[in-house]
Structure formats: structure tokens, C-alpha cells
Amino acid sequence: LRKTTPVRYDQTRECWDVFRYEDVQYILKNPKLFSSKRGIGNKRESILTMDPPKHTKMRNLINKAFTPKAVNELTQRIQDVTIFLLDQVKAKGIMDVIHDFAGPLPVIIIAELLGVPIKDRELFKTYSDILVAGAENDSDEAFKAMMKKRQEGAEFLTEYFKEIIRERKSSPKDDLISLLLAAEIDGEKLTKEELLGFCILLLVAGNETTTNLIANAVRYMVEDTVIQEQVRSDLSLVPNFVEETLRFYPPIQAIGRIATKDVEIGGHTIRKGSQVISWVAAANRDEQKFVQPDRFMLERHPNPHLSFGFGIHFCLGAPLARLEAKVALSILLTSFSKLERVEHVELEPIQSPFVFGVKRLPIR
Ligand code: HEM
């Protein structure tokens, strides 16, 4: 598609698809031409669906919780949780990477960061998965059922967070919700709605994506045992391995925008108000940008993949996701002398055009 129809209109989905690196990057770095204001199954506004100047203000407010320095302070805790999770599966001799390892890790970390009790983590996983789940099939009924479930999930989490926010207001703790309750920009605080929207966004944006990054990395390792051995024998290669996994198997395949005026891309005029889907997964394999794009290259450097987006909406949680993946994979590799797939189990993809990952990944 990148070669034959790099920009195309899809009548059925009523949107434009864009596949080339240069075009995708152009869209993401021009928020004035391509707005983020779009519905994502949840009516509450979040920074993900805001444009400047409101986006800039909100992002500045929450930025400091996610700087690499702030995130690095979580290293020890991420190590402890990783070791705890692996200890639990070691005795079994087999594990489902999603259920036993890559699923719980980000939920535990974000729940602790927000100040949510760990006992609720199963509940969080369930509801954050519901919020990002795709429809069972292409029918209208399946779409309606999905929207209904998402609505219910959002309502549940809203009530849940309302309670926590109420508690933190009267007795602040050393957590993100307390920090956000106290934060101000130009003398203004976040409204309750904004705070709620942000809490839910962190669960939705951070959990499944990081789970899929870790699981996609393990999947690649069991598919390519030469690379697995190379990384195991030199753990300083883990960060490169994580970046190449992000490029090769991006957890988020595409990013949506709305054209704010008539714009020309690749010889096509995209009319104001049209939906535009930027296919990050295709851009990451663009031969105009990457040498041998279909080869997984540990030594690839620089690696300017677009898997965390680009420009003003660049993933706020990227330092956290990278750290979690680095710690989780390093400890996994040192804990097991060889990781192998359980052959008779077919890999089943997650049912969503925008998410790349599998539902289960049994390994031993
Ligand atoms: C934004 C991907 C992990 C929080 C984004 C965007 C992408 C992305 C592509 C840009 C969306 C756009 O331009 O519309 C990923 C991937 C992750 C990951 C692949 C894991 C491998 C996380 C984590 C958190 C997080 C762990 C937080 C705990 C956010 C937030 C935004 C965002 C808050 C919105 C930023 C803004 O609009 O300014 N992410 N993300 N993400 N991500 Fe992530």
C-alpha cells in the first residue's frame, strides 16, 4: 500500500488512510491542520483528544510526574514486582506471558503511582481492557455492544476514582492523584472532570500498550532464538531490543486525526472535517526512512520509529513504558536460560485494527 496507494480514501470506513513515514510525520507534527478532537468511546475529554492551547496547559501540569528522572525512581519497585511475578510462575515451568507477567506488571505500577490500592488491580485490568476492546466482529450489533460495554467501563471507573479523589482531598498522600490535586498553572487547578479524565486515560493509554510491548518483545525472542541469545549474553542490548520491537511490532498501529481545513497530501485533497488515519505500523517499515525495514536489527541506530507518536502528543508514558520493558525483559532473560513457545498453542490476535498483540502467549 505504501508503494501503490500511499494515501487513499476508504469508502466503507469513511476515512483517509496514510501509510508513508514522511506523510504520517507531517500529519502528527501539524496539530493546526490535523486536530486530535475526536471521540474514543468515552465522552470525557482528555489530553489525548485536546488541541492547543488547552492541551499545552494540561500537559505542562502533568508532565513532571513522567519525566525520565521521576520515572527512574520507580526502577527498584519495577524490579521487585517483576521478580515477584516471575517467582510465582517459576514453579509451574510454563507461563502465559500476558496473564502472568506482561499484563499485571503495568497495572500494578500505574495503580501504585496513582495511589490506587493494589487489591483492586484485577478490577483495573478488567475495566481498562474493556475501555480499549474492539468489537467482536464487523456487524452493527457488535459495534453497539462494544460501545455499551465501554460506556459501562468508563462509568464504573469514574465512580471508583471519584471516591479516591474525595479521600485524597481530605488526606493527601505521596501519590500522583494528590500531586495533581495540588498542582496549579497560572493560579488555576485541574477541575474534577479533568482529573477524572486523566486518571482514566492513564489506565487506558498505559496498560494494554505496555503489556503488548513486553509480550511482543517476548514473542519476537521466541521466534528468533539467535537474537534471544545475543541479548541474553549482553543485557546492555536490551534498550535497543525494546526500540526495535516498538518499530517492528508496534502496540499501537495507527493514530487518528481530523482535518481542520482542506489539505493536500500525496496529491490528494483531504477535505476539512475528514477523518485521517496515520498508519504508524506502515511508516515504521518505510524503506525511504529505514535500511532493510523488514529485518529486525538489534544494531539499528538511530531508530526514529513513530510508535509513541510524534510532536505535541508524543506519548507521555514513553519513559515509563521503556523502563518497564527494559527491567521486565532483562530479569526474564536472566531468570530463564532459554525461552520457548509452547508449540501446539495457536497465537490469536487481539481483535482491534489499531492494536498489535496476542490474547495469550504461553511459553516455557
Ligand atoms: C499518547 C503509544 C504507554 C500515557 C500516546 C500516543 C501514542 C502512544 C502513539 C500518541 C497518540 C496521539 O498522537 O494521538 C504508547 C505505547 C505505549 C504507551 C506504544 C507502550 C508501549 C503509555 C504509558 C502511559 C501513557 C505507560 C502512562 C502511564 C499516554 C498519554 C498520552 C499518550 C497520557 C497523551 C499525550 C498527549 O496527548 O499529549 N501513547 N503509549 N502511554 N500516552 Fe502512551
Side-chain angles (χ1 to χ4, degrees):
L1 289 170
R2 220 175 22 240
K3 280 194 186 118
T4 53
T5 47
V7 178
R8 66 150 193 213
Y9 186 73
D10 183 331
Q11 302 278 358
T12 325
R13 289 155 51 239
E14 295 181 351
C15 66
W16 287 90
D17 291 308
V18 178
F19 300 108
R20 276 199 309 228
Y21 188 98
E22 199 188 343
D23 295 335
V24 167
Q25 196 182 34
Y26 175 78
I27 290 167
L28 298 180
K29 75 178 178 199
N30 277 293
K32 278 195 179 142
L33 294 177
F34 299 96
S35 165
S36 286
K37 286 190 182 163
R38 61 199 189 276
I40 51 165
N42 169 13
K43 289 198 190 72
R44 178 162 290 111
E45 213 187 5
S46 75
I47 56 167
L48 199 54
T49 53
M50 278 176 197
D51 288 334
K54 192 164 181 198
H55 171 265
T56 321
K57 195 173 132 180
M58 286 283 287
R59 187 156 168 138
N60 286 342
L61 205 67
I62 50 193
N63 231 345
K64 56 177 178 257
F66 288 95
T67 58
K69 185 176 173 289
V71 165
N72 274 335
E73 284 167 17
L74 298 170
T75 307
Q76 184 62 50
R77 185 62 193 143
I78 298 172
Q79 282 170 351
D80 292 347
V81 175
T82 303
I83 291 168
F84 166 79
L85 291 170
L86 288 180
D87 279 350
Q88 288 194 319
V89 294
K90 261 184 193 160
K92 284 199 289 181
I94 183 168
M95 78 160 140
D96 174 12
V97 176
I98 315 286
H99 181 267
D100 299 328
F101 184 54
L105 178 66
V107 181
I108 296 174
I109 299 299
I110 198 70
E112 289 186 3
L113 205 65
L114 280 166
V116 161
I118 302 177
K119 67 177 171 47
D120 293 332
R121 74 170 197 232
E122 280 290 324
L123 211 63
F124 273 146
K125 182 87 192 102
T126 308
Y127 281 98
S128 70
D129 284 352
I130 286 176
L131 285 193
V132 291
E136 286 290 316
N137 54 54
D138 285 343
S139 70
D140 280 356
E141 287 72 43
F143 181 77
K144 279 185 198 147
M146 171 195 79
M147 293 308 274
K148 188 165 173 275
K149 268 186 123 179
R150 283 188 181 187
Q151 191 58 36
E152 285 166 8
E155 278 164 18
F156 172 87
L157 287 170
T158 302
E159 287 312 309
Y160 186 86
F161 276 118
K162 271 186 184 164
E163 188 52 40
I164 303 230
I165 291 169
R166 214 172 291 134
E167 278 172 32
R168 292 298 179 282
K169 249 189 182 159
S170 51
S171 49
K173 288 192 178 169
D174 182 20
D175 59 33
L176 189 56
I177 291 186
S178 306
L179 183 140
L180 292 174
L181 271 168
E184 284 185 6
I185 278 196
D186 303 335
E188 264 183 71
K189 288 196 173 193
L190 287 179
T191 64
K192 202 165 103 190
E193 280 298 297
E194 287 166 344
L195 189 54
L196 275 170
F198 186 63
C199 292
I200 293 175
L201 173 65
L202 287 186
L203 292 180
V204 177
N207 286 343
E208 203 200 19
T209 46
T210 311
T211 297
N212 287 332
L213 168 59
I214 297 171
N216 292 348
V218 176
R219 176 182 170 181
Y220 190 82
M221 267 196 282
V222 294
E223 281 169 355
D224 186 340
T225 45
V226 175
I227 293 258
Q228 182 186 145
E229 270 323 301
Q230 228 178 318
V231 184
R232 182 180 281 106
S233 59
D234 180 1
L235 291 180
S236 70
L237 293 171
V238 171
N240 266 22
F241 177 68
V242 170
E243 292 310 301
E244 188 65 344
T245 303
L246 280 160
R247 184 189 73 86
F248 207 73
Y249 285 160
I252 303 273
Q253 302 267 288
I255 300 176
R257 294 286 189 264
I258 305 286
T260 58
K261 44 181 91 150
D262 292 359
V263 200
E264 202 182 301
I265 292 195
H268 296 269
T269 303
I270 296 182
R271 295 273 171 228
K272 178 179 173 175
S274 310
Q275 200 183 357
V276 184
I277 307 295
S278 296
W279 288 93
V280 162
N284 282 352
R285 303 271 188 125
D286 190 335
E287 44 286 290
Q288 301 296 322
K289 190 70 187 178
F290 299 95
V291 179
Q292 298 189 47
D294 293 327
R295 244 190 83 204
F296 190 103
M297 282 164 61
L298 258 185
E299 64 280 19
R300 195 179 292 282
H301 188 78
N303 191 344
H305 63 74
L306 298 173
S307 304
F308 286 122
F310 190 85
I312 62 164
H313 289 277
F314 181 83
C315 178
L316 199 70
L320 179 59
R322 283 179 162 133
L323 180 66
E324 285 180 20
K326 186 181 104 178
V327 170
L329 295 167
S330 304
I331 297 180
L332 183 70
L333 281 165
T334 43
S335 306
F336 296 86
S337 55
K338 191 171 177 204
L339 299 167
E340 288 178 313
R341 260 197 58 195
V342 178
E343 278 310 330
H344 57 273
V345 182
E346 284 281 310
L347 293 185
E348 203 187 329
I350 291 171
Q351 290 300 321
S352 162
F354 297 118
V355 176
F356 185 82
V358 290
K359 288 185 182 166
R360 293 179 58 225
L361 181 59
I363 61 160
R364 60 171 159 233

